[in-house]
Amino acid sequence: MTYTASVVGGTGFTGGELLRLLAGHSEFEIEQATSRSKENKTIGHSHPNLRGLDLRFSDPEDLESVDVLFAATPHGVSMERIDDFRDAADTVVDLSADFRLDSEAQYDEWYDGHSRPELLETSEYALPELNRENLEGADLIASGGCNATATILGLLPLFEHGVLAGDERIVVDVKVGSSEGGAGGGPASSHPERSGVVRPYAPTGHRHEAEIEQFLGAGVSFTAHSVDMIRGASATAHVFPDEPVSKGDLWGAYRGSYEDEPFVELVAGGGGVYRYPEPKAVAGTNRAEVGFELDPGNERLVVFSAIDNMMKGSAGQAVHAANIALGIDETAGLQFQGLHPVGAP
């Protein structure tokens, strides 16, 4: 069976990734891609890698009827247009932050409030490794934030297998590529300003903390840096367990959580050049790498995770979740393994 799909907000970086994935997906047919600024322009006008796609951007006010609508819009748009989206599609997958959190109070604290809070309890978080069983048949899906996704994937096995109880001290540092700022960017994203930097842009109070704390049930001290790469999010978490932890405990926890996961790989101090998770190794893919190292002298556990922020952290996660919701093979359209060697992602 083939499902029709549309992408609202198709000119952005994530919109382009959605179109790339859907164009190569055996079970999806792209019916529509919308853009206010590029209406009637070809898809290749914004995404040169998709010049072969015979489709033009259309007005987002004129939505066609489809099976699945992917909304790659800025925060605040989906909550205002959700009725239009649901009228146009049986399943809506939102890639903004509009439906990720559980309560209106969280949006009051971390964002600028929420205009449709009654829908929050009906949405499902898109990260399959965390929420697979609730995605089957879901009709409103919220793709996770890239920084939150990297952090959650790194720490989740420790909570699932009782290594952590939730009251431990956890400090997370994430380094992200320039594509996280979107196609619109801004002064800080221009090449002369961005090139060569390791720039703290959210030392405290990053909005993705809300997702991390919601789904792990634990507080984290979170800092984010902009670095000189295009794709990628690399999370390093410093964890201080209350009780001693062995490498056997850690291997048991991570294998227990991820051994059967199609898109998570354990990379924990093995041989070769890439001994720990590396964004460059997963660029362009829906894969995540996770790993760890013990620091017994400081009673510290260091956890590493790496994703492509536009794939596992956004478009790839959205397609993965949609596959599960519709009963499609969950790896369909997401099998690309990446390239090596490759330049800066």
Side-chain angles (χ1 to χ4, degrees), residues 167-171 219 221 238-242:
D167 57 355
E168 295 86 356
R169 183 183 175 201
I170 302 174
V171 179
S221 300
H238 305 272
V239 184
F240 298 86
D242 293 333

Side-chain angles (χ1 to χ4, degrees), residues 1 29 43 76 93 110 117-118 120 155 199-200 224 239 265 296 298 343:
M1 181 175 179
E29 180 180 338
I43 301 300
V93 185
W110 293 96
E118 73 278 8
L120 296 176
L155 294 173
R199 177 188 299 143
V239 184
E265 297 169 358
N298 291 300

